[in-house]
Amino acid sequence: MDKTNEPLRILMLEDLPSDAEQAENMLRNAGMACTTLRVDNRTNFEQALDAFKPDVVLTDYNLATYSGREALKYVRITQPQTPVIIVTGAVGDEAAVELLKLGARDYVLKSGLARLAPAIEHALSEEKAIRSRKQTEQVIRDEQHFSDMLIRSMPGIFFLLDQQGDLVKWNRNLMELSGRTAEEMASASALDFIHEEDKPLIANKIRQAFETGHASVEARMILKEDVRLYDFNGFRIETPHGPSIIGLGTDITERKQTEKELLKEKRQAQQYFDIAEVMMVVLDTKGHITLINKKGCQTLGYTEQEVIGRNWFELCIREDMRQEVQDVFHQLMAGNIKVVEYHENEVLTKSGTERTIAFHNALVGDEGVPAGIIFSGEDITERKQSEKSLKASRDLLQSVVETAPIRIFWKDKELRYLGCNNRFAQDAGLSSPDELTGKTDFDMGWKDQAELYRAADHAVMASGKPQLGFEEPQTTPNGNTIWLRTSKVPLRNADDEVIGILGLYEDITDEKRAQDSLRRLNRALLSLSACNRALVHAENEEQLWQLVCRAIVEQGQYLLAWVGYMQQDEVRSVKPMASYAVKPGYVENIQVSWADVPEGQGPIGTALRSGKTQYAQNIAHDATMHPWCKKALAYGYRASIALPLFDKGQVFGTLTIYAAEADAFNVDEIALLEEIAGDLGFGINAQRTQVAHEQHTRLLHESLEQSIQAIADTVAARDPYTSGHQRRVAELATAIAGEMGLTKDQTQGIHLAASIHDLGKIQIPAEILAKPGKLTELEYQFIKQHPQSGYDILKDVIFPWPIADIILQHHEKLDGSGYPHGLKGDAILLEARILCVADVVEAISSHRPFRPSLGLEAALAEINDKRGTLFDPAAVDACTRLFREHDYKIPN
């Protein structure tokens, strides 16, 4: 307790009142304000120690019924923080040493009570320093615990590498997944976890991270159970031990399901320091050492004989500081300035090293005349180094929090925000993380979701178990709704008690929109492909309709499809001709008319009368669906579309499709479904008029070409540059195929594949596609996924040509250096090799978002330079002839 403004409470164990009075007078003469209590036996002493609560205890060594040695032991047991000073008439050296070992702070002879006041001041100063040191140790432990909690809570794998690539730190996930013990981890290097074929790549990336500050890579990792593909990000940081690499790894084997769970963990470096030693030194007015204790000698590295009589400043103060410190000392001795009670300085030791010492100073004098100075010095070198390490530790923790490509926040047990990283603050519309402290979810822009978020928080804290990778909505500060992939884990204190939660999330809105758009487009494409197969194989009209309805439900994943014909009866009814449903029964006994009556106002009747596509995007709220609404909702139908069927220009029926979600049909999907209806109308006409199979097959090809054009138009709507690039590449690839003498059918397949060869870029964020500067390694890895993404979209669509495989292989190279599968030579389709050459020439010779055109000559030089290594020789030669001999021009 700080009692600077209160008199000191001194408990004296002394059986001679005169000796106690003499000591008290000496203290008051020394200017020390104090309240004293004298006792002379064990019982009174122990009672006074508890009731009087002294700041310091003065005890005689020998008493009639008690002893200073026993009193010292009792104080050390009951009140170890209270300093004890032995004040005695005489004591031998061995007894004095024993008392100091037992915990006495000092001993003062009654014949030299002038030392009593300085001894008390030093003892109290020493006690204060001990309390300060313990508080510092507690702060460091608290910081260490929080950083360890954050690192343990982060999903994925985390590691810290030294300059040799050896593991310094790792998280529990890495140790458990690899099946190694802590001892095995401590002796492992980064390459020990990597697949043999990927080790050169990882070694190169580690060097790159040290040189440039960052590197990312995908590589196979050998785990306890199997081999997994991981996405690694490494960042160079500065630690007290020199440059190191923070590594974060995410399992991307299942790609979209887990790829963004960046589970960035990290464990703080342990902070260690030794208990500082304390020395006492007395200087005379000239700065000569007249007294030094054993701890002072140990601190400086000298023996007592080597320092007594030596000048303190010449012996222990660095030369560049010596004159300044001496000047201050002489001013003190002259009485011109007051003594500085506390300061920190460096001192030189015998070995020439420097130690940082915290000095407590007091003048020594008689009747106000300075006779020298006495100071105690605590060696705080290790403490200063620890503070520096603590700062580095905090900086390292902040680096982890701000470097991780995710939003991070933490809350207390009452679900008040305690902090966040800058990415989270930006999402919340705040200028800095400090503005978040103390707020709850009800105070944020997403207050409508506050109960949802808090329910998840309570569940995590109640169970003590994390919830990882769940999706939830959020309202942004501008009122829009976005989607998050969130992970929450309990925060625990040193006693393993849950004290709050730590949350991490990433914005997956664009991902979900792209997935939904692709899902809708893909189900329409699958329906189109399946219906075209039905047209080819159906032997009669009835079989055709049944195959079509079944294909739409099974391939297109709709709930119901049925075909109805117009009847020329009195009520102008619509007769079901075929149907297929996930849950049969809806079409049975359905009453639909194409007359202008209530049963004819729905999508089917209106489509039959108008000859135009009609749809109900929300059956529950569409008034025209009133006659059938209740039954439709009972079957799970939420949207429907009616497509008129034509024979020789006249409407004769409808194809009606039902979906499970409202707003199920977007513009692109409707266009493809109308194409299905058109093809079916032609198929019925062919069935009825027995049109030649060759004409029918030609129309199917045209329909597939139109489908491909619809896909290309979808890409164009999102990224005009990619669209123009695809058209130009398609024209050039077609010309190369012609120059090589390929068949008309092969040439047509190359043209169609080239028209949509970058379809997979629809899944890449627009800001990356349009980025004007150089792509980062991570952004380039996104770009490299587009051949696989395009293949995944088209792989189940039946074309007369290997469209999906051509798209998948158009970035493969003859020597195996391409992507995504590193195919070599003839393993790559000829069509893909031709497309590759056309793609490179157009890309180099055209303007790009991140650079101007390099010119046609640079493009031709590139393909000829890599002829036979990267590019197909025949395709390169044909392309070169087009420009050199036939004056071919790439269209604008």
Side-chain angles (χ1 to χ4, degrees):
M1 178 178 179
D2 189 355
K3 297 186 177 181
T4 305
N5 298 321
E6 299 179 16
L8 287 175
R9 301 173 69 83
I10 302 176
L11 177 60
M12 295 184 176
L13 178 58
E14 172 62 66
D15 54 1
L16 296 177
S18 60
D19 286 357
E21 182 178 356
Q22 182 181 5
E24 184 175 353
N25 290 336
M26 184 64 71
L27 294 178
R28 297 191 190 280
N29 291 338
M32 180 175 290
C34 59
T35 299
T36 63
L37 174 63
R38 183 184 70 83
V39 295
D40 58 6
N41 58 66
R42 177 194 299 270
T43 301
N44 291 343
F45 176 75
E46 292 179 356
Q47 291 175 349
L49 190 65
D50 182 58
F52 185 58
K53 301 189 183 306
D55 297 307
V56 64
V57 172
L58 306 180
T59 177
D60 197 353
Y61 182 61
N62 293 308
L63 294 97
T65 62
Y66 201 25
S67 73
R69 186 175 185 277
E70 291 177 291
L72 172 61
K73 286 184 177 180
Y74 184 77
V75 173
R76 297 305 296 165
I77 293 172
T78 60
Q79 294 189 21
Q81 76 281 3
T82 302
V84 177
I85 298 175
I86 307 298
V87 181
T88 184
V91 64
D93 289 344
E94 292 183 1
V97 170
E98 180 188 15
L99 290 171
L100 291 175
K101 288 182 178 180
L102 288 174
R105 293 297 168 83
D106 205 346
Y107 69 91
V108 176
L109 298 177
K110 291 182 179 180
S111 60
L113 288 178
R115 281 194 61 241
L116 184 57
I120 291 174
E121 289 178 345
H122 171 259
L124 293 173
S125 174
E126 187 179 54
E127 179 60 35
K128 182 178 180 181
I130 291 172
R131 289 199 303 271
S132 175
R133 183 178 67 246
K134 289 182 178 179
Q135 290 171 355
T136 300
E137 292 171 351
Q138 185 60 44
V139 169
I140 291 174
R141 285 194 296 271
D142 290 344
E143 292 284 353
Q144 177 66 44
H145 177 70
F146 180 78
S147 62
D148 284 347
M149 281 294 299
L150 177 61
I151 290 174
R152 288 198 301 270
S153 301
M154 295 183 80
I157 64 171
F158 161 85
F159 52 88
L160 184 67
L161 303 181
D162 61 17
Q163 296 182 72
Q164 288 73 44
D166 293 330
L167 278 181
V168 177
K169 290 190 175 296
W170 57 89
N171 67 342
R172 185 183 305 160
N173 278 355
L174 179 57
M175 186 167 71
E176 291 178 352
L177 290 172
S178 65
R180 286 174 164 84
T181 65
E183 290 76 13
E184 291 170 335
M185 295 292 290
S187 63
S189 74
L191 297 183
D192 293 339
F193 299 85
I194 304 302
H195 191 281
E196 194 67 32
E197 296 177 0
D198 294 344
K199 286 184 178 180
L201 175 63
I202 293 296
N204 182 58
K205 288 296 180 178
I206 292 175
R207 287 193 297 272
Q208 179 184 335
F210 274 112
E211 293 171 0
T212 68
H214 171 252
S216 61
V217 66
E218 294 179 6
R220 287 166 290 178
M221 188 171 176
I222 302 174
L223 303 179
K224 177 175 62 175
E225 300 295 337
D226 57 3
V227 177
R228 308 284 289 176
L229 182 64
Y230 269 74
D231 180 24
F232 293 103
N233 274 275
F235 303 89
R236 185 186 64 203
I237 62 169
E238 296 296 329
T239 71
H241 306 291
S244 300
I245 297 296
I246 288 177
L248 300 172
T250 303
D251 187 342
I252 58 172
T253 308
E254 286 79 23
R255 298 305 306 171
K256 295 299 179 182
Q257 290 83 351
T258 57
E259 68 179 357
K260 298 212 174 209
E261 295 178 6
L262 279 180
L263 311 177
K264 305 188 168 187
E265 301 186 52
K266 197 164 180 334
R267 192 172 291 168
Q268 287 293 87
Q270 295 296 316
Q271 305 300 313
Y272 303 100
F273 53 75
D274 298 328
I275 301 300
E277 294 184 341
V278 175
M279 64 180 179
M280 289 189 66
V281 181
V282 178
L283 306 181
D284 63 16
T285 56
K286 295 182 180 180
H288 294 131
I289 302 170
T290 62
L291 177 67
I292 185 169
N293 67 351
K294 181 179 179 180
K295 292 181 181 178
C297 293
Q298 291 173 346
T299 301
L300 297 175
Y302 293 102
T303 65
E304 184 177 3
Q305 292 74 20
E306 288 176 314
V307 297
I308 295 297
R310 298 282 299 275
N311 185 281
W312 166 262
F313 306 102
E314 294 177 358
L315 182 69
C316 299
I317 304 301
R318 203 172 62 228
E319 185 175 1
D320 61 326
M321 299 170 53
R322 188 175 301 154
Q323 189 60 51
E324 179 182 354
V325 177
Q326 279 183 309
D327 289 345
V328 173
F329 176 76
H330 292 315
Q331 290 288 321
L332 282 172
M333 295 298 100
N336 296 332
I337 59 175
K338 293 183 178 181
V339 67
V340 178
E341 293 184 359
Y342 177 85
H343 66 93
E344 297 176 4
N345 269 345
E346 282 73 35
V347 299
L348 289 174
T349 66
K350 182 177 181 179
S351 65
T353 61
E354 289 189 359
R355 306 292 294 178
T356 303
I357 307 296
F359 291 101
H360 295 269
N361 309 302
L363 288 176
V364 177
D366 187 14
E367 298 182 355
V369 179
I373 191 170
I374 181 172
F375 57 79
S376 65
E378 178 187 0
D379 187 345
I380 60 172
T381 307
E382 282 73 27
R383 191 182 84 192
K384 287 292 185 181
Q385 292 173 347
S386 296
E387 290 173 354
K388 183 178 179 181
S389 296
L390 176 59
K391 181 180 182 303
S393 177
R394 286 172 173 166
D395 293 343
L396 182 60
L397 171 61
Q398 188 64 26
S399 174
V400 172
V401 170
E402 294 301 337
T403 301
I406 50 179
R407 282 72 168 169
I408 302 175
F409 61 90
W410 48 98
K411 302 178 182 179
D412 63 18
K413 203 165 186 178
E414 284 69 44
L415 302 183
R416 293 185 296 262
Y417 283 100
L418 298 175
C420 66
N421 65 354
N422 279 312
R423 291 176 184 263
F424 183 93
Q426 291 168 4
D427 280 3
L430 305 176
S431 58
S432 75
D434 294 338
E435 296 181 28
L436 183 69
T437 304
K439 295 182 183 293
T440 71
D441 288 308
F442 291 109
D443 302 318
M444 310 304 291
W446 51 79
K447 59 185 177 183
D448 291 342
Q449 290 91 27
E451 291 293 354
L452 173 67
Y453 296 168
R454 291 167 68 87
D457 296 343
H458 282 302
V460 169
M461 290 193 297
S463 67
K465 297 179 180 179
Q467 291 186 9
L468 305 177
F470 60 92
E471 297 179 1
E472 57 186 0
Q474 183 182 94
T475 301
T476 65
N478 59 12
N480 295 328
T481 297
I482 62 175
W483 280 89
L484 314 176
R485 183 177 291 120
T486 304
S487 295
K488 294 181 178 180
V489 297
L491 277 178
R492 299 179 184 273
N493 61 16
D495 297 323
D496 205 34
E497 298 170 335
V498 175
I499 59 172
I501 64 116
L502 174 73
L504 310 94
Y505 75 82
E506 53 187 332
D507 186 341
I508 60 169
T509 306
D510 290 340
E511 177 185 341
K512 288 186 72 70
R513 287 173 181 167
Q515 288 174 349
D516 183 64
S517 178
L518 286 173
R519 179 184 61 80
R520 295 186 181 197
L521 187 61
N522 199 42
R523 72 179 181 181
L525 279 171
L526 290 171
S527 298
L528 174 62
S529 176
C531 289
N532 284 335
R533 289 199 301 275
L535 282 170
V536 171
H537 297 294
E539 297 179 359
N540 53 58
E541 195 167 320
E542 180 181 354
Q543 184 186 34
L544 171 63
W545 291 134
Q546 197 59 46
L547 289 173
V548 165
C549 291
R550 180 167 187 163
I552 290 173
V553 172
E554 291 184 346
Q555 301 299 319
Q557 298 180 0
Y558 298 98
L559 296 184
L560 166 65
W562 70 281
V563 174
Y565 279 6
M566 301 168 66
Q567 301 299 303
Q568 301 299 329
D569 53 12
E570 182 178 348
V571 295
R572 297 188 176 182
S573 62
V574 178
K575 178 182 179 181
M577 303 303 294
S579 68
Y580 194 84
V582 173
K583 179 181 178 182
Y586 177 78
V587 179
E588 295 177 8
N589 302 317
I590 191 169
Q591 299 296 318
V592 183
S593 173
W594 56 280
D596 191 8
V597 295
E599 291 77 9
Q601 299 304 316
I604 296 174
T606 306
L608 290 170
R609 290 195 304 275
S610 67
K612 295 180 179 179
T613 299
Q614 303 293 320
Y615 43 81
Q617 291 284 28
N618 193 328
I619 291 176
H621 297 94
D622 193 324
T624 66
M625 286 294 293
H626 177 70
W628 313 278
C629 178
K630 185 175 181 180
K631 185 176 182 181
L633 294 177
Y635 276 82
Y637 307 149
R638 297 294 181 269
S640 70
I641 184 170
L643 304 149
L645 300 172
F646 293 87
D647 181 14
K648 299 178 181 179
Q650 296 296 316
V651 178
F652 68 88
T654 59
L655 169 61
T656 308
I657 302 172
Y658 296 77
E661 66 274 12
D663 298 312
F665 305 101
N666 60 27
V667 174
D668 294 331
E669 189 171 4
I670 291 172
L672 288 173
L673 292 175
E674 287 178 337
E675 188 171 339
I676 291 175
D679 290 349
L680 293 174
F682 177 82
I684 289 299
N685 185 58
Q687 288 280 353
R688 293 176 177 176
T689 61
Q690 297 183 352
V691 175
H693 181 74
E694 180 179 349
Q695 180 183 1
H696 183 226
T697 302
R698 178 178 58 78
L699 183 59
L700 292 182
H701 281 211
E702 291 175 357
S703 295
L704 290 173
E705 293 174 22
Q706 292 167 6
S707 301
I708 289 176
Q709 186 58 46
I711 297 171
D713 291 343
T714 300
V715 175
R718 184 171 184 268
D719 183 12
Y721 166 75
T722 298
S723 174
H725 166 71
Q726 290 184 142
R727 287 195 299 271
R728 292 187 292 274
V729 171
E731 294 297 328
L732 178 55
T734 301
I736 293 173
E739 180 68 16
M740 292 174 65
L742 269 64
T743 66
K744 182 178 180 181
D745 186 62
Q746 279 183 296
T747 302
Q748 180 69 0
I750 290 173
H751 178 80
L752 294 177
S755 297
I756 55 171
H757 71 277
D758 282 339
L759 169 63
K761 289 183 179 179
I762 197 171
Q763 293 191 352
I764 298 173
E767 58 269 23
I768 295 179
L769 294 175
K771 183 176 180 180
K774 184 178 180 181
L775 296 178
T776 65
E777 181 63 22
L778 181 60
E779 290 168 338
Y780 182 55
Q781 293 300 322
F782 268 107
I783 292 289
K784 288 174 66 176
Q785 295 174 11
H786 77 272
Q788 184 68 52
S789 298
Y791 172 82
D792 290 341
I793 292 171
L794 297 174
K795 64 183 180 182
D796 295 323
V797 180
I798 305 301
F799 293 105
W801 313 275
I803 300 295
D805 288 321
I806 296 172
I807 290 173
L808 178 65
Q809 298 177 13
H810 80 276
H811 276 293
E812 301 286 1
K813 301 297 188 292
L814 292 181
D815 63 355
S817 63
Y819 61 87
H821 297 307
L823 301 180
K824 294 183 179 181
D826 291 339
I828 307 169
L829 293 174
L830 175 60
E831 292 91 335
R833 284 179 265 157
I834 293 171
L835 175 55
C836 178
V837 171
D839 192 27
V840 169
V841 171
E842 196 286 333
I844 293 176
S845 61
S846 295
H847 289 279
R848 307 299 291 257
F850 54 88
R851 60 147 177 81
S853 167
L854 299 179
L856 177 62
E857 291 303 321
L860 294 178
E862 174 66 14
I863 63 172
N864 278 280
D865 183 57
K866 307 296 191 304
R867 178 184 181 276
T869 56
L870 301 185
F871 307 117
D872 182 86
V876 171
D877 294 342
C879 180
T880 304
R881 289 197 303 272
L882 285 174
F883 290 98
R884 300 290 191 217
E885 300 177 13
H886 303 307
D887 197 27
Y888 180 86
K889 304 291 185 185
I890 296 177
N892 292 326

